[in-house]
Amino acid sequence: MTESTVQSNQLNQQDDTTHFGFETVAKQEKVTRVAEVFHSVAAKYDIMNDLMSGGVHRLWKRFTIDCSGARPGQRILDLGGGTGDLTAKFSRIVGDKGHVILADINNSMLNVGRDKLRDTGIVGNVHYVQANAEELPFPDNYFDCITISFCLRNVTDKDKALRSMFRVLKPGGRLLVLEFSKPIVEPLSKVYDAYSFHLLPKMGELVANDAESYRYLAESIRMHPDQDTLEGMMQEAGFEQTKYYNLTGGIVALHRGYKF
Ligand SMILES: C[S@@+](CC[C@H](N)C(=O)[O-])C[C@H]1O[C@@H](n2cnc3c(N)ncnc32)[C@H](O)[C@@H]1O
């Protein structure tokens, strides 16, 4: 993230505007437009994920599960859980005595997720809740672990969302944020730019008949706080022992933090 982006983000927090990709928009407009993106892509979301990442998103998610420390009997929140990849894995780990909540603001994504999980026999210990990450409708100190995977970038007030996650996490619980981040190798950065600004919208057009949403994806990734900035935001929200892992050269990072 450049210095001017940091300054512009700080300014935006003081007024009623924010970013939707590279555009500056009213905060409420961002909420509406993010909702439009996910209503539009929901049906093709999974296939696009596999195509865009060459299947590597499955490895990033597997690593997230490995870092979660999830155990039988635990209560887990998969926030912005969308089509439920992480929820499905957690459901198997926590078992009959545990409980996974897949929460998402978007009912199209929730419906696709619920249908997919039920079709694969995942029922019983999973519940689906339509909720905004900024105002989680759960009691204080409720979850053993919260994951938020490729969602935080889309949230209008990220600091508020992080505080909300902190509130509902149990003392000793951990938050894992899986998100696109800043590549740490310069040549990779150039190839990645070419790929995301040229190829991604074309793939979106061909497969999901929606180039715009995938242009937004590329732009929103560039506007998202880099590794160190996000770690600072987590600490500001109260998380301790924060740490991040760069995955695929920093294209993606997994941030971890605890509530004590
Ligand atoms: C890119 S998808 C990620 C889905 C899934 N977690 C994954 O990793 O495949 C982002 C999800 O975040 C959800 N989302 C966006 N803003 C949100 C908010 N403020 N609160 C909760 N969910 C939100 C979207 O509806 C969408 O389902």
Side-chain angles (χ1 to χ4, degrees):
M1 176 177 264
T2 64
E3 203 172 303
S4 63
T5 314
V6 172
Q7 281 169 358
S8 118
N9 277 346
Q10 283 165 351
L11 275 180
N12 284 333
Q13 282 172 8
Q14 287 159 20
D15 63 28
D16 282 338
T17 63
T18 185
H19 295 289
F20 177 80
F22 290 162
E23 283 179 67
T24 300
V25 298
K27 285 182 175 165
Q28 191 47 47
E29 184 183 340
K30 171 160 178 166
V31 176
T32 308
R33 290 179 68 182
V34 167
E36 284 166 5
V37 165
F38 288 104
H39 286 309
S40 167
V41 303
K44 293 284 168 66
Y45 179 81
D46 282 342
I47 184 154
M48 277 300 290
N49 257 0
D50 276 332
L51 278 174
M52 288 185 308
S53 70
V56 175
H57 75 102
R58 292 165 187 266
L59 302 180
W60 299 329
K61 286 171 179 163
R62 170 47 61 196
F63 183 67
T64 304
I65 297 287
D66 290 346
C67 291
S68 72
R71 294 193 302 278
Q74 286 192 329
R75 214 181 267 154
I76 313 264
L77 174 62
D78 180 14
L79 182 54
T83 58
D85 285 351
L86 289 178
T87 294
K89 292 181 175 24
F90 280 131
S91 164
R92 294 187 184 102
I93 295 172
V94 302
D96 291 346
K97 295 203 167 62
H99 187 191
V100 186
I101 293 184
L102 192 170
D104 200 290
I105 200 169
N106 189 290
N107 63 326
S108 302
M109 292 292 283
L110 267 181
N111 288 342
V112 173
R114 191 183 49 222
D115 290 350
K116 180 172 93 177
L117 267 49
R118 285 185 179 166
D119 285 351
T120 51
I122 294 169
V123 283
N125 65 357
V126 177
H127 288 89
Y128 302 85
V129 175
Q130 188 168 6
N132 186 343
E134 294 173 22
E135 289 166 9
L136 291 170
F138 307 112
D140 295 356
N141 307 322
Y142 192 70
F143 293 102
D144 295 287
C145 175
I146 300 176
T147 53
I148 176 163
S149 155
F150 302 112
C151 166
L152 191 61
R153 192 180 73 245
N154 302 291
V155 174
T156 306
D157 190 337
K158 296 172 185 49
D159 294 314
K160 189 173 177 191
L162 287 167
R163 288 196 299 272
S164 188
M165 292 175 227
F166 188 80
R167 180 183 66 75
V168 301
L169 201 57
K170 282 182 191 172
R174 74 181 89 179
L175 168 69
L176 294 167
V177 183
L178 182 66
E179 190 50 271
F180 291 105
S181 205
K182 192 170 185 322
I184 49 172
V185 190
E186 193 50 34
L188 179 64
S189 208
K190 294 213 166 65
V191 177
Y192 181 50
D193 271 357
Y195 169 77
S196 39
F197 286 111
H198 298 292
L199 227 71
L200 266 190
K202 285 208 174 68
M203 284 162 88
E205 174 81 68
L206 279 172
V207 180
N209 196 21
D210 181 357
E212 271 315 301
S213 292
Y214 288 91
R215 194 162 296 122
Y216 161 72
L217 169 66
E219 293 182 3
S220 66
I221 291 169
R222 297 313 182 282
M223 298 307 290
H224 189 64
D226 66 17
Q227 287 86 334
D228 290 331
T229 308
L230 179 55
E231 185 175 19
M233 289 164 66
M234 289 172 64
Q235 289 165 351
E236 197 59 35
F239 291 98
E240 294 181 47
Q241 289 186 18
T242 56
K243 178 183 171 88
Y244 63 79
Y245 303 88
N246 283 314
L247 309 178
T248 319
I251 286 178
V252 162
L254 178 69
H255 283 71
R256 188 204 65 192
Y258 290 91
K259 172 174 174 178
F260 290 119

